[in-house]
Amino acid sequence: MSETAAPRQEENPLEQGLALRRTPDPCALVIFGASGDLTHKKLMPALYALAVRSLLPPRFAIVGVARTEGDDGTFREDMQAAVRQHARDPFRQEIWDELVEQLHYVSTDFADAGGENAVHDLLGRLDDERQLGGNRVFYLAVPPGAFPTIVEALGRRRDERGWTRLIVEKPFGHDLESARTLTATLLEYFQEEEIFRIDHYLGKETVQNMLALRFANGIFEPIWNRQFIDHVQITVAEAIGIEGRAGYYEQAGAVRDIFQNHLLQLLALTAMEPPIDFTAESVRNEKVKVLRALHTPGPRSVVRGQYGRGFVEGEEVAAYREEEGVAQDSMTETYVAAKLYVDNWRWADTPFYVRMGKRLARRETTIAIQFKRAPHPPFEETAAEGLRPNVLLVHVQPDEGVSLAIGAKVPGQGLTIRTVHMDFLYGGAFRTGMPEAYERLILDTMLGDSTLFTRADEVEEQWLLVDAIVAGWQRDRPAFPNYPAGSWGPPSADDLLHRDGRSWRRH
Ligand code: BG6
């Protein structure tokens, strides 16, 4: 039985963002990779945000595990600095004082039995002291090479009491084969329901809102198909470069870093059929059908790019090949655009144009549903010169919201029609800050809800497509760099749409 912690008096539930949900059972959260970037920038700030909103379990412990030398004291200091720097809420001493008591640290590389024992013993002690009931969340925020050792060690010593859940960070494999091997290793010791594969885009409010928008409103679904929609454009643009992650990025490239996971998940949510309910299995069953229906694009339908020097938001930045740790003749792509088709009744012949890249003009993730033109506008041609087809634009980030482009009469004499926008902005409609994706995802794991996590079959379908695209790339060597930092990508990405008589949405 879980206990319910009363919300702090001063918190207005409406402002909590993640309010009014079940409180998770008592448990220990063990973070492998506790000295890494993700823990500092995302995980600890998310845990602090959950603490501010009284959403953590009533009895709780956080155990950091990493190779870095240290003890509880140094870990606590380090985590406090991370919260001060990266949390979305202002630092509050009284919240921190409560949370800090729950933080522990084990320094080990986990390859030796000594480290394994130390973690095991500490968890046993915390169970006794705080009555955690043997409940565990293990968070694998380590490079994929370290997964098998840790998973095997954890699996061998599973606590028979309580529940165990495993959060696996991306990248989930490097291709289909390695993803299958990883799944097999996990399934040796854990059940699929215990495995929580993170795709943090699914934790974003605006991404979940795609489901609300489509399935909570009666007006969209009847026109959400090939009869009314001309095409869909999905953009995941980043202004940042690779931020010192050359070791990882040189191996991954944009196709594995963003396309394989975030981008394909956005597409699946946009294209899926209505699920019969919102349980994890129903939602994931519908998504996987879309992924299965994706047609492998031919070489002419995929464009890759790599950024050269340029200016981003007024600042001069280096070319990808000049970044530290990147080979001078690197052929790693930092940009991908593609034309994809979902081969089913709803979407046959409706292109989904997708693009994603680093060092583009600005940060922007959008899903644009472009509807067909009105069949017979009864106006003179000149009247409607400023009119574009209707577009439903989902702003995933920043400026989270939804906007609908419609034609309206310009005030004054005569009849002139122009495109205007009906906007819904999160900031205006809900007087609340947006929760970070990791808050939602950590909380859902503790609650045992895997709806917003990817299942093994989804990941495999995603890799199948990526492997086919990458195989097509072996044959040619594009002239990189082919777009300046701060632009919207290589000219060939524009040609991809121009050939179809279309163009990317103007910014
Ligand atoms: C990560 C990628 O998964 O997502 C990064 O590895 C990328 O390269 C990041 O910058 C983008 O996430 P967000 O939430 O900032 O859009």
Side-chain angles (χ1 to χ4, degrees):
M1 281 295 285
S2 63
E3 292 176 15
T4 325
R8 278 169 216 285
Q9 286 305 309
E10 68 270 28
E11 292 294 336
N12 169 359
L14 273 179
E15 288 175 1
Q16 290 183 20
L18 290 162
L20 306 177
R21 292 163 49 102
R22 248 177 343 119
T23 309
D25 296 340
C27 65
L29 168 68
V30 186
I31 304 175
F32 294 94
S35 54
D37 238 27
L38 187 76
T39 307
H40 287 83
K41 292 193 180 145
K42 300 287 182 191
L43 306 186
M44 198 58 218
L47 288 162
Y48 177 77
L50 292 174
V52 168
R53 290 159 186 80
S54 300
L55 290 168
L56 289 175
R59 297 193 301 277
F60 188 48
I62 301 168
V63 177
V65 181
R67 264 186 293 198
T68 314
E69 287 288 321
D71 53 26
D72 289 1
T74 53
F75 183 55
R76 289 172 176 185
E77 266 172 42
D78 193 25
M79 292 298 103
Q80 181 179 152
V83 166
R84 284 185 185 273
Q85 197 180 343
H86 300 292
R88 70 177 169 109
D89 304 291
F91 186 82
R92 277 162 59 185
Q93 193 63 47
E94 73 280 13
I95 303 271
W96 181 251
D97 288 345
E98 258 180 60
L99 190 60
V100 75
E101 293 295 312
Q102 302 171 346
L103 290 175
H104 301 271
Y105 186 73
V106 179
S107 155
T108 167
D109 77 354
F110 224 71
D112 65 288
E116 209 182 301
N117 289 340
V119 174
H120 188 76
D121 294 348
L122 174 60
L123 287 173
R125 219 176 54 235
L126 291 169
D127 266 342
D128 293 343
E129 282 171 19
R130 305 195 186 159
Q131 290 138 51
L132 303 179
N135 296 331
R136 313 266 186 262
V137 175
F138 294 112
Y139 199 125
L140 299 190
V142 291
F147 287 177
T149 319
I150 299 176
V151 169
E152 279 163 28
L154 296 177
R156 280 197 308 267
R157 308 185 88 160
R158 281 192 66 138
D159 202 310
E160 289 311 312
R161 300 165 309 142
W163 46 253
T164 297
R165 292 172 195 142
L166 201 63
I167 305 185
V168 188
E169 257 301 332
K170 73 178 257 269
F172 196 87
H174 187 73
D175 53 15
L176 179 59
E177 202 189 322
S178 54
R180 281 193 174 143
T181 309
L182 180 51
T183 293
T185 309
L186 292 169
L187 291 178
E188 254 180 70
Y189 302 99
F190 300 93
Q191 308 284 326
E192 176 67 33
E193 306 78 71
E194 295 173 322
I195 304 167
F196 290 70
R197 295 174 191 78
I198 286 245
D199 183 318
H200 80 278
Y201 267 54
L202 296 178
K204 291 181 190 277
E205 285 292 324
T206 39
V207 173
Q208 294 159 49
N209 189 45
M210 186 51 133
L211 296 177
L213 186 74
R214 289 189 56 195
F215 305 130
N217 296 294
I219 61 168
F220 294 122
E221 214 42 29
I223 55 170
W224 206 264
N225 56 48
R226 63 193 300 275
Q227 257 179 296
F228 294 92
I229 292 175
D230 179 73
H231 71 276
V232 176
Q233 292 188 16
I234 306 181
T235 302
V236 180
E238 294 186 275
I240 54 170
I242 54 164
E243 309 217 288
R245 295 156 79 215
Y248 155 74
Y249 201 86
E250 275 281 86
Q251 301 302 316
V255 78
R256 292 188 176 87
D257 187 44
I258 301 280
F259 178 90
Q260 190 270 348
N261 36 79
H262 309 327
L263 194 287
L264 289 180
Q265 285 290 325
L266 294 180
L267 189 151
L269 290 170
T270 307
M272 70 193 257
E273 296 300 314
I276 50 165
D277 55 34
F278 277 100
T279 58
E281 290 321 297
S282 301
V283 172
R284 299 191 296 184
N285 285 346
E286 296 308 332
K287 279 194 297 165
V288 82
K289 283 186 209 160
V290 174
L291 297 168
R292 255 184 221 140
L294 278 173
H295 186 90
T296 305
R300 267 170 63 83
S301 296
V302 186
V303 169
R304 52 184 161 147
Q306 187 193 76
Y307 61 86
R309 284 185 197 173
F311 287 84
V312 177
E313 288 159 355
E315 255 185 53
E316 187 163 14
V317 299
Y320 177 69
R321 287 177 176 176
E322 294 165 342
E323 304 266 11
E324 208 184 318
V326 172
Q328 278 174 9
D329 58 352
S330 170
M331 290 305 291
T332 300
E333 79 288 348
T334 59
Y335 176 98
V336 178
K339 175 161 76 163
L340 302 173
Y341 285 101
V342 180
D343 287 341
N344 62 16
W345 269 60
R346 187 191 281 261
W347 296 115
D349 303 324
T350 311
F352 284 71
Y353 299 102
V354 302
R355 56 180 167 167
M356 69 235 67
K358 298 258 183 215
R359 286 288 190 227
L360 296 180
R362 64 161 190 271
R363 177 171 185 251
E364 177 194 309
T365 300
T366 49
I367 303 172
I369 314 293
Q370 171 134 359
F371 291 92
K372 292 187 174 165
R373 284 185 182 281
H376 173 69
F379 322 108
E380 285 178 26
E381 235 173 70
T382 47
E385 264 172 359
L387 181 65
R388 294 191 301 275
N390 299 117
V391 177
L392 182 71
L393 187 60
V394 176
H395 295 270
V396 173
Q397 62 189 24
D399 306 326
E400 290 81 359
V402 179
S403 112
L404 179 65
I406 53 173
K409 181 186 173 303
V410 178
Q413 267 197 335
L415 186 67
T416 308
I417 298 163
R418 227 188 53 202
T419 294
V420 295
H421 294 92
M422 276 167 53
D423 290 326
F424 146 60
L425 271 174
Y426 270 83
F430 304 105
R431 287 170 301 112
T432 169
M434 293 285 265
E436 281 282 331
Y438 280 92
E439 296 168 31
R440 174 66 192 264
L441 296 175
I442 293 173
L443 187 61
D444 277 4
T445 310
M446 294 193 291
L447 290 165
D449 182 351
S450 52
T451 313
L452 300 177
F453 294 81
T454 46
R455 208 168 52 186
D457 52 352
E458 288 180 81
V459 174
E460 289 181 10
E461 288 300 333
Q462 292 171 180
W463 276 125
L464 203 62
L465 188 72
V466 167
D467 285 359
I469 291 175
V470 172
W473 285 351
Q474 306 304 334
R475 274 167 257 139
D476 67 329
R477 284 176 71 82
F480 283 165
N482 59 356
Y483 71 95
S487 68
W488 281 103
S492 43
D494 293 328
D495 300 340
L496 183 70
L497 272 72
H498 291 166
R499 284 205 299 269
D500 296 345
R502 302 185 175 101
S503 47
W504 292 109
R505 236 174 33 74
R506 289 284 142 243
H507 299 275

